Amino acid sequence: LGKLAQAIDEFNREGVDMMISLGDLVDNDIRNYSVIDSVFNTFNGPVWKVLGNHDFIVPYSAERQDSIFKIMGIEDRYRSIRKKGVRLLLLDGTDVAVFSHPEGSQEHADAVRTLDSLKQAGSPNNRKYNGGIGKKQMDWIRYELERAAVNEDNVICFCHMPMMPLGGQYTLFNSPEVTQTLSGSPYAKAVITGHHHPGGYEMKDGIHYLSLQGMVQGEQNSYVIAEIYKDKIVIKGHGREESRIMEFK
């Protein structure tokens, strides 16, 4: 909590427009969220939240999970935000996952089949704490990319699970499909993720894939302020997080 408060103090001093949390605000238990929310409320702007695997209760209960979403202020599991010629896509990497649907449901069965398929293929990301993006959300992503082209908006995606490196242990189940879809749009510029606490960076087809380090790890803090321009994103790293300039191709 002290790290989060420190980050928000810096955000307020710098006049940050909005804050995006990359998930795992709780650890499968909502009881400690009120304390976290009181810290979020000190931010002078909107706070958007991306779902992480730890944001789901165990064992899963649809009724209890819906009440948790309300407490956390999550109205939509994925959404777009358009601001000053930039389209931010907040993705739901928990869409296809064994922890985000009740056992016995079609969605849970589909997630189990996906895991089995990845295991048979020898994919390192066949882990129950990972997830994927389903067909409906993929169609929505394609629609948003089409709208971005019409409006000439640069697109930046945010997701809990990383998409790179392809075949990595912590990546989305269907990272190849998602990255291929993004690569098909000249307006897709960057993807910023969490989940893999050591972080990382790669570029693929001119798109920047930045995985931020986990704030919860170690004694030193870790967070960034991103300044978005027409031709680049300037990442100002704090604590363990590295500063960098991600120029658009």
Side-chain angles (χ1 to χ4, degrees):
L1 288 175
K3 293 178 181 178
L4 178 60
Q6 181 186 41
I8 292 177
D9 284 345
E10 181 68 16
F11 296 162
N12 287 334
R13 281 194 297 270
E14 292 290 326
V16 170
D17 291 322
M18 68 176 69
M19 183 166 66
I20 298 177
S21 165
L22 293 173
D24 284 357
L25 289 175
V26 296
D27 191 9
N28 308 123
D29 190 340
I30 195 62
R31 286 177 294 180
N32 60 347
Y33 182 74
S34 61
V35 182
I36 298 171
D37 198 43
S38 68
V39 180
F40 274 137
N41 288 336
T42 65
F43 177 62
N44 298 329
V47 179
W48 302 103
K49 297 155 188 170
V50 172
L51 285 171
N53 51 301
H54 287 281
D55 294 321
F56 289 82
I57 59 169
V58 177
Y60 182 89
S61 161
E63 184 177 350
R64 290 178 61 199
Q65 192 64 51
D66 286 344
S67 68
I68 287 173
F69 288 159
K70 290 180 181 178
I71 292 171
M72 295 176 68
I74 297 175
E75 297 179 1
D76 302 295
R77 290 180 58 159
Y78 54 90
R79 68 183 304 151
S80 66
I81 304 166
R82 188 167 180 252
K83 187 177 180 67
K84 299 178 181 178
V86 179
R87 191 172 295 251
L88 309 176
L89 302 188
L90 276 56
L91 307 181
D92 177 19
T94 70
D95 195 4
V96 179
V98 294
F99 54 79
S100 62
H101 301 284
E103 290 189 29
S105 67
Q106 184 62 53
E107 292 84 358
H108 187 273
D110 290 343
V112 170
R113 277 194 294 272
T114 298
L115 272 171
D116 289 343
S117 177
L118 290 169
K119 185 175 182 178
Q120 292 174 12
S123 298
N125 64 338
N126 72 100
R127 314 285 175 168
K128 291 183 177 180
Y129 51 70
N130 290 331
I133 291 178
K135 182 183 183 303
K136 183 178 178 181
Q137 189 179 174
M138 285 300 307
D139 290 340
W140 172 82
I141 291 172
R142 294 184 184 98
Y143 169 79
E144 288 292 333
L145 292 173
E146 290 171 0
R147 298 305 304 162
V150 170
N151 293 283
E152 297 186 341
D153 294 336
N154 285 332
V155 176
I156 303 169
C157 297
F158 297 84
C159 188
H160 181 65
M161 281 84 172
M163 301 176 193
M164 296 291 290
L166 293 178
Q169 179 178 333
Y170 296 92
T171 56
L172 284 170
F173 290 155
N174 56 332
S175 286
E177 178 188 12
V178 182
T179 56
Q180 184 178 17
T181 298
L182 295 176
S183 294
S185 170
Y187 294 94
K189 302 300 183 183
V191 178
I192 300 176
T193 59
H195 193 48
H196 182 228
H197 291 184
Y201 169 83
E202 291 195 32
M203 176 179 274
K204 180 179 185 293
D205 299 331
I207 300 174
H208 300 274
Y209 290 86
L210 174 62
S211 182
L212 300 182
Q213 298 185 47
M215 178 182 282
V216 72
Q217 296 291 107
E219 295 183 4
Q220 191 177 16
N221 211 342
S222 182
Y223 61 94
V224 304
I225 294 176
E227 296 180 352
I228 304 174
Y229 299 91
K230 188 67 177 176
D231 60 345
K232 62 181 177 291
I233 302 175
V234 176
I235 298 290
K236 294 183 176 180
H238 293 261
R240 289 175 285 114
E241 198 62 60
E242 179 182 345
S243 295
R244 65 182 76 230
I245 298 175
M246 303 193 303
E247 296 182 347
F248 300 157
K249 300 296 184 182

